[in-house]
Amino acid sequence: FVMPSFSNMYSTGTGLVVGDPDLRPQKGMHYELGWKKDHDDHRWRAALFNYKIKDNMSFSKSGDKYYAVNEDLKNTGIEIGAEILCNNGWTYNYGLAYGNPKSKAQSEKVGTKDYWDRAFGRWQLDGGVSYTASKLTTSLSASYLADRVLTPTTKHSVKTKPYLLTSLNANYKADKRHEFNLSIENLLDRKDNVNHTTSAYYSAPINYMLSYKYKF
C-alpha cells in the first residue's frame, strides 16, 4: 500500500509534471516461493514470484508534460542466481530472471486501455565480480534487460532495444579514519533509453566520482 505524494497530486505543471488530485493510492500483493542452498563456495538461490498491483502510480507523457496516472500492473516469473566465494579474495555472482509484466492504464484524464499490454522487459541478466585484498576492495557489475517494450498509456506497446548498465567501484581504507572511493558509471559509454514509456530518458555518458571520507 503506497499513498500518492503531494507533488504527484497537486503539481500545477510549471515544471515537467502535472499532478492529479484524484490520484488513487496503489495497493497489491506480492507472493514469492523460494529455495536456497549453500554448498562449499557456492550459494544458490531460486524463486517463483507473482504480484498484482491495483492503481499503480506511474507517469504518462502528453506533449511536453508528464501526467501522474494510475494503472494496473501484474507480473509472474522466475529468478535464479548464484554467488561464488573464493579463498583468494575473488567473489563472483550471476543471476537470470524471466517475467511477463503487463499493465493496463486507468486514467480518465490521459486515457485508458481495456486490455493488458506488455510492459518493461522479459529477460534480465545480472553479473558481477569483486576482489578484496587487505585495504582495497573493487567490484564490477553489469545488468542487461532484453525483450523490452515502451508502453504508452493509450496505444499498444512497441519494441525497443535492450539496455546494458555497467559500473565499477574501488574502495581503499587507508586506516580506521581515512577512506577513498572511486565510482565509474556506464563503463561502455552507451546511450540507452532506460525509460519504459514513449518518452526518452537516456543514461548519462560515462562518468566518474572520486570521494574521500574522514571519520572523527
Side-chain angles (χ1 to χ4, degrees):
F1 181 86
V2 179
M3 290 290 293
S5 67
F6 280 101
S7 61
N8 288 348
M9 295 178 67
Y10 302 114
S11 178
T12 60
T14 52
L16 291 176
V17 176
V18 179
D20 183 354
D22 298 322
L23 203 64
R24 298 177 295 276
Q26 68 181 44
K27 49 190 177 293
M29 293 293 292
H30 185 118
Y31 302 93
E32 187 167 320
L33 177 64
W35 169 87
K36 63 181 181 179
K37 180 179 178 61
D38 295 346
H39 178 68
D40 294 335
D41 57 354
H42 282 68
R43 295 178 178 176
W44 303 95
R45 303 290 186 266
L48 297 172
F49 64 86
N50 174 270
Y51 64 80
K52 188 172 183 179
I53 301 174
K54 178 69 175 176
D55 293 326
N56 179 65
M57 287 174 287
S58 184
F59 296 92
S60 177
K61 186 178 182 182
S62 180
D64 60 348
K65 298 291 184 180
Y66 292 88
Y67 292 82
V69 299
N70 286 119
E71 65 177 10
D72 292 342
L73 180 66
K74 65 179 182 179
N75 191 10
T76 301
I78 183 174
E79 53 186 6
I80 59 175
E83 184 179 22
I84 306 171
L85 308 176
C86 302
N87 295 327
N88 56 4
W90 291 92
T91 300
Y92 307 89
N93 67 84
Y94 57 88
L96 175 66
Y98 173 79
N100 189 28
K102 295 181 179 181
S103 66
K104 183 164 58 174
Q106 302 289 334
S107 172
E108 297 178 357
K109 296 183 178 180
V110 179
T112 62
K113 287 182 181 178
D114 58 359
Y115 61 94
W116 289 99
D117 200 4
R118 282 276 319 276
F120 310 127
R122 282 180 172 160
W123 293 94
Q124 182 169 336
L125 178 64
D126 300 306
V129 57
S130 63
Y131 177 73
T132 301
S134 185
K135 301 177 180 180
L136 177 67
T137 300
T138 60
S139 61
L140 172 67
S141 63
S143 180
Y144 179 76
L145 185 64
D147 201 2
R148 294 181 61 209
V149 294
L150 300 180
T151 310
T153 300
T154 58
K155 298 179 181 179
H156 200 279
S157 60
V158 293
K159 291 185 176 181
T160 188
K161 71 173 187 176
Y163 70 55
L164 176 61
L165 307 178
T166 52
S167 64
L168 174 67
N169 184 273
N171 181 271
Y172 180 75
K173 293 184 178 180
D175 51 41
K176 64 180 182 180
R177 293 184 180 274
H178 304 274
E179 185 176 331
F180 300 87
N181 191 83
L182 172 64
S183 296
I184 306 176
E185 301 293 334
N186 195 4
L187 285 170
L188 302 180
D189 200 22
R190 290 172 57 94
K191 187 179 180 181
D192 285 329
N193 179 13
V194 297
N195 211 337
H196 296 283
T197 64
T198 51
S199 59
Y201 184 85
Y202 290 101
S203 56
I206 185 171
N207 55 92
Y208 311 83
M209 183 175 71
L210 179 63
S211 61
Y212 164 73
K213 181 187 294 185
Y214 177 79
K215 296 181 180 180
F216 294 93

